[in-house]
Amino acid sequence: MSLLPTMGFAQESKTDQEASDLLTIIKKLEAEKGVTFFYLDTWLEGIEVADISASDDIRDILTDLLADTELNFFVDREQKRVYLLRNTLVYDQLPEGFFDAEADSLQATPEARQIAQLPPPVFLNDGARQRTRNLGIARIGKASADDLAASYTLTGRALRSDTGEPIPDLALRVRNLGIGTVTDAQGNYQLQLPRGYHVLSATAMGVASMERQVVIYGDGTLDLELEEGIELLDEVVVEADAAANVEEATSGTETIESEASKNIPLVLGERDILQVARNLPGISSAGEGSSGFNVRGGRTDQNLILLDDGVIYNPTHFFGIFQALNPFTTDRLDIYKAAPPVEYGGRLSSIFDIRSTNGNTEKISGEGSIGPVTANLALEVPLKQERSSLIAGARGAYADWILRSLDEESLQNSQASFFDGIVRVHSLVGEDGAIGATGYFSRDAFSITQDSLYQYSNALLSLRWDHKISENTRGTLVAGNSDYRFGIDFDGESNTDFELDYGINQTQLKYFLQRPLGDKHRLTYGVAANFYSVNPGSREAQGANNALPDILIPREQALEGALFIGDTWTPSEKWQWELGLRFPFYTALGEATQREYNEGEPRSDASVSGTTEYGSLEPIRWYGGPEARLAGRYFLDETSSVKFSLHNAYQFIHTLSNNTTISPIDTWKLSDFNIAPQQAYQGSLGYFRNFQDNTYEFSVEGYYKWMVDVLDFKTGSELFLNQNVETEVLQGDGQAYGVEVLLKKNKGKLNGWLGYTYSRSLYRFDGEFEEERINDGEFFPSNFDKPHDFSLIANYRFTRRYSVSMNFVYQTGRPITYPVGTFRLNNTDYVFYSERNAFRIPDFYRLDLGINIEGNHRKNKLAHSFWTISVYNVLGRNNPYSVFFVSEGGEVKALQSSIFAIPVPSITYNFKF
């Protein structure tokens, strides 16, 4: 056991009076005061201090001299010796009556009680020290006889050692104390630790795990530099940070690492984090080939999908079968299903925050793949060594055979192609800042009939600047522009050819600050703004003598803004709160003409009472209100916690869709004078526990959501190219509730997860008039209501090179409206339908299998390879996507449409250099 390091003896010497480094001044004091100092030279090297004070007392001189250092001192006046100490203190005597005070505390002197309360010296037991990585012991703070705090604040940042970039979502845990935290988006962390020796562990996907020894004497800072992680070949880690499952206050969160998804068998061998997300509890879709997500009973338009802070309106290719994201340039996906961080807003159900990888700053590298349908390549280029980099990726489809293989005769002559590309530049700025810029474009073109060509595209440009304003305050500026368009080119045999176009453009600006407030609070506050410009649709006739009239719907514009403030409050080791208040505001803008309708009559062309003209950028109608965010976590013990959340949200933008087709050409509609914004209120409660050093992760979480002013359509409505669409839609209420269960195995040869969700999603449209009611104003299941949803994803690694994987999914069939009878009126046959969504299509289930073969792992190879052989829908299940009805010979017949009715094999070659 050691109390102090081995001391050195300082020889007396004369020095220049102008010297200001500590080592020189100490030697000057030895000469002038006739004392001898004991210390280690390394403690004093590089420390600059003010010159000697005018006092004659050596204690006063040293107190001033060492005030801003981690050094303390002890003066032995009899021996004329001064002992310098690093961080700690030495006590040379006990006060009179001290031992009597221990026997009878009522008679203890004030001096005895004060010294008895002082923290004891910190002893380091050599046998207890970590020997796994020789990083040395970090001594934090400076002991003081005047400081009687029970714990101290340790702050710092986690950075990549090669690039200096911050590491978000890094799990920090203190061994044997059950204390932990997770770094924020800028890599910042804060811990409350008692005085003494501790072992701090740091883990996250993509970086090598580290344990650091620290000795806490007082408040202080410790920045952590972690190396890039080397993937363990005898196991696959499927969770970036299992400990965060228990420790984070925010509930309803999921993180998917792109690299971790490569072993999950999916259609045609494509790595797809969005498809993986659909296998998590609480997240689903209408079926195979469906774009979008239904999160906790919400509609597909209630999810905000971000790529490097920029909005993507359609993140899929090929009817939702492929993601429109390059897997080799994508780092991770963070999903918030409840009470998201206060800087996010604008949607009711979820936030999908997709982050791109920053390029290699040391050498040129790349990754690519070749599959049955697509080819993909990503290249990373350093722009300035260890400071800035560029990453670029391109991906495209080169075959149309998949459409011809579908079980649908009308699609045999169909064709489809898609492309997406991304370029990202990232650069460190100064010591604590970084700038990242992302440019993205995707395009799909498909023809499912011989006379029509459908096209849609996403374009995005985003900029993010993270910077340090002061020692405790960091700022983030986000700016971007997003553009989504679709079009139809019709070239038929008759003279009715046309081109149809739609587009939405969004420009955003956001600035927020983050700073600690004392030891227990961390504030986030800022402002956000979005400007929308929508082309609701146009149709232009093509060719001479065309009988079709041109249609141009006037452009729509709107301004959305928000002020927000949030606080991460840690009042004790067991409790943590996320408190937030966000105030969004919105107005539609002119130039526009808005209809007014007679009260007491249903909205229609016949009930128009007048119109109002609005000039350019003139506010039409303001909406808004407060949004509260509350999330809490309570530790039951070191490995389990209870979490709960409450929040409400506004959404000012809607999709117009009948929710029954796989077409990606849904239109977005802005709230205006006649269409109010959607609102939602959600609460959740969950239990979270990890087992066997975070090898197993278990959670069960229940939720309830109430929605107001959600949109649906009237039967037989015309939504597109309709200038007065408010006459075709209804606004009503919705409720969703459910229980989500998740069991994960994060480490070992066998890993994966098992998820189950029981949920209901119900809507009610009870208008004042008969034509504004659905199901007589009673609740009915939504088109995506699937009470039971079960998924099992597993991967087993036999050796360092060979593994097998499986993906099994079962879901209750989605609701549908059936014809239940026919009747004849005036010699015409009519079909009588059931109540809305009173029946269900058959249940959905699918099994996928894959074999993963890695090339040999010789270090000096030019490139490393990885083969994936998979079969999608091994059982050949003819899962119905939809059921529709036709009348033949006076009889109504039901027909079923499916996406993949047979097993679909694929083989994909991946390489990395």
Side-chain angles (χ1 to χ4, degrees), residues 851-899:
I851 300 174
N852 311 297
I853 305 172
E854 296 188 22
N856 67 66
H857 299 99
R858 289 198 301 267
K859 186 175 181 180
N860 296 323
K861 289 181 62 175
L862 178 63
H864 295 269
S865 60
F866 180 90
W867 289 89
T868 299
I869 304 171
S870 63
V871 180
Y872 184 85
N873 193 18
V874 171
L875 303 178
R877 165 74 170 170
N878 187 11
N879 287 302
Y881 174 78
S882 64
V883 176
F884 57 96
F885 304 91
V886 296
S887 179
E888 293 182 0
E891 295 183 358
V892 177
K893 296 183 178 181
L895 301 178
Q896 171 182 306
S897 64
S898 301
I899 304 301

Side-chain angles (χ1 to χ4, degrees), residues 339-340 342 565 578-584 625-631 645-650 680-682:
V342 71
I565 183 171
E578 295 283 352
L579 310 172
L581 181 63
R582 184 181 177 94
F583 193 94
E627 295 179 350
R629 310 277 172 92
L630 170 65
S645 70
L646 293 170
H647 83 284
N648 70 297
Y650 284 82
Y681 305 84
Q682 179 177 320

Side-chain angles (χ1 to χ4, degrees), residues 301 313 347 502 504 534 653-655 666-670:
D301 66 346
Y313 281 92
R347 298 294 189 274
Y502 169 88
I504 179 171
V534 179
I653 185 170
H654 324 259
T655 55
D666 297 337
T667 62
W668 290 83
K669 169 65 181 172
L670 301 175

Side-chain angles (χ1 to χ4, degrees), residues 130-385:
Q130 291 297 103
R131 304 185 186 277
T132 54
R133 289 188 65 189
N134 185 21
L135 296 176
I137 299 176
R139 291 172 169 81
I140 307 298
K142 180 178 179 178
S144 171
D146 299 323
D147 189 353
L148 302 179
S151 64
Y152 298 93
T153 303
L154 175 65
T155 60
R157 295 187 74 199
L159 307 169
R160 292 184 181 270
S161 60
D162 54 346
T163 65
E165 299 169 5
I167 303 174
D169 302 320
L170 180 75
L172 298 171
R173 292 181 61 82
V174 183
R175 180 180 294 181
N176 299 326
L177 289 184
I179 298 174
T181 188
V182 178
T183 58
D184 63 17
Q186 284 74 44
N188 298 302
Y189 74 90
Q190 179 175 304
L191 285 166
Q192 289 294 122
L193 297 177
R195 180 188 299 266
Y197 172 80
H198 306 286
V199 178
L200 183 65
S201 66
T203 57
M205 177 68 75
V207 296
S209 298
M210 181 185 73
E211 289 189 337
R212 186 69 190 270
Q213 304 168 86
V214 296
V215 182
I216 301 297
Y217 297 94
D219 296 337
T221 300
L222 176 65
D223 290 338
L224 303 173
E225 292 190 354
L226 288 86
E227 300 173 352
E228 182 179 3
I230 306 300
E231 183 179 356
L232 298 177
L233 298 176
D234 58 347
E235 64 181 46
V236 177
V237 180
V238 298
E239 166 62 24
D241 172 26
N245 174 61
V246 173
E247 295 166 351
E248 288 183 339
T250 305
S251 60
T253 62
E254 304 286 352
T255 295
I256 304 173
E257 303 285 343
S258 181
E259 179 68 18
S261 68
K262 71 179 184 181
N263 292 316
I264 299 175
L266 296 171
V267 63
L268 297 171
E270 277 284 307
R271 190 188 304 180
D272 192 330
I273 59 174
L274 298 184
Q275 290 289 352
V276 174
R278 290 188 176 101
N279 290 331
L280 291 170
I283 305 174
S284 64
S285 65
E288 282 181 318
S290 299
S291 298
F293 308 90
N294 302 111
V295 178
R296 290 188 169 179
R299 293 161 48 95
T300 56
D301 66 346
Q302 295 175 356
N303 309 300
L304 179 63
I305 301 175
L306 302 172
L307 173 61
D308 295 336
D309 301 299
V311 178
I312 294 184
Y313 281 92
N314 190 340
T316 63
H317 288 306
F318 209 178
F319 318 106
I321 295 175
F322 301 112
Q323 69 176 16
L325 304 168
N326 192 314
F328 299 140
T329 63
T330 302
D331 181 31
R332 72 182 192 279
L333 165 63
D334 295 321
I335 304 173
Y336 302 94
K337 297 181 290 184
V342 71
E343 61 265 29
Y344 296 105
R347 298 294 189 274
L348 300 188
S349 291
S350 73
I351 308 294
F352 281 62
D353 189 10
I354 304 163
R355 293 293 169 180
S356 297
T357 301
N358 293 326
N360 194 322
T361 60
E362 296 183 342
K363 62 180 181 179
I364 296 177
S365 60
E367 193 168 1
S369 68
I370 302 174
V373 174
T374 63
N376 186 7
L377 181 65
L379 187 65
E380 302 179 39
V381 180
L383 301 178
K384 184 177 181 180
Q385 281 290 318

Side-chain angles (χ1 to χ4, degrees), residues 553-614:
I553 308 300
R555 180 171 294 274
E556 298 178 1
Q557 297 181 121
L559 175 67
E560 177 186 352
L563 303 173
F564 54 87
I565 183 171
D567 180 21
T568 301
W569 177 35
T570 310
S572 66
E573 294 179 2
K574 289 184 175 293
W575 283 100
Q576 186 178 78
W577 297 90
E578 295 283 352
L579 310 172
L581 181 63
R582 184 181 177 94
F583 193 94
F585 51 90
Y586 169 94
T587 182
L589 298 173
E591 186 173 344
T593 301
Q594 295 286 296
R595 279 182 170 185
E596 299 170 5
Y597 296 89
N598 293 324
E599 294 187 7
E601 298 181 31
R603 289 178 180 173
S604 67
D605 292 342
S607 63
V608 176
S609 62
T611 60
T612 302
E613 301 288 336
Y614 295 89

Side-chain angles (χ1 to χ4, degrees), residues 695-848:
T695 297
Y696 294 93
E697 173 187 335
F698 172 78
S699 65
V700 55
E701 187 172 11
Y703 67 89
Y704 179 83
K705 182 191 298 182
W706 178 261
M707 292 165 281
V708 179
D709 285 329
V710 292
L711 257 67
D712 208 327
F713 59 95
K714 295 179 180 178
T715 302
S717 61
E718 293 289 338
L719 301 178
F720 192 55
L721 295 179
N722 186 340
Q723 184 173 350
N724 303 299
V725 73
E726 66 269 14
T727 62
E728 303 287 350
V729 300
L730 305 174
Q731 290 196 270
D733 302 326
Q735 63 173 336
Y737 54 87
V739 177
E740 302 166 358
V741 181
L742 181 65
L743 176 64
K744 280 186 179 182
K745 186 173 186 293
N746 298 313
K747 305 173 185 177
K749 289 182 176 294
L750 174 64
N751 58 80
W753 72 79
L754 185 154
Y756 171 74
T757 304
Y758 173 78
S759 63
R760 298 305 310 272
S761 175
L762 308 171
Y763 287 85
R764 178 180 64 189
F765 296 88
D766 188 16
E768 182 180 354
F769 309 101
E770 180 67 27
E771 54 264 50
E772 295 179 349
R773 298 192 191 104
I774 299 177
N775 283 15
D776 294 325
E778 300 295 328
F779 278 103
F780 62 91
S782 68
N783 289 346
F784 40 87
D785 176 63
K786 299 180 180 181
H788 300 284
D789 190 327
F790 173 89
S791 62
L792 173 62
I793 289 180
N795 183 84
Y796 185 82
R797 184 172 289 276
F798 294 101
T799 68
R800 292 175 178 269
R801 296 179 57 193
Y802 299 96
S803 66
V804 295
S805 52
M806 66 162 291
N807 177 24
F808 178 76
V809 179
Y810 167 82
Q811 297 173 340
T812 305
R814 69 177 182 84
I816 192 172
T817 303
Y818 276 4
V820 294
T822 60
F823 63 93
R824 190 174 184 83
L825 179 65
N826 296 328
N827 295 322
T828 303
D829 291 326
Y830 294 90
V831 176
F832 179 72
Y833 283 87
S834 69
E835 294 184 341
R836 175 87 62 99
N837 292 342
F839 296 89
R840 292 184 181 272
I841 64 177
D843 291 352
F844 176 98
Y845 64 85
R846 191 189 74 242
L847 174 66
D848 313 322

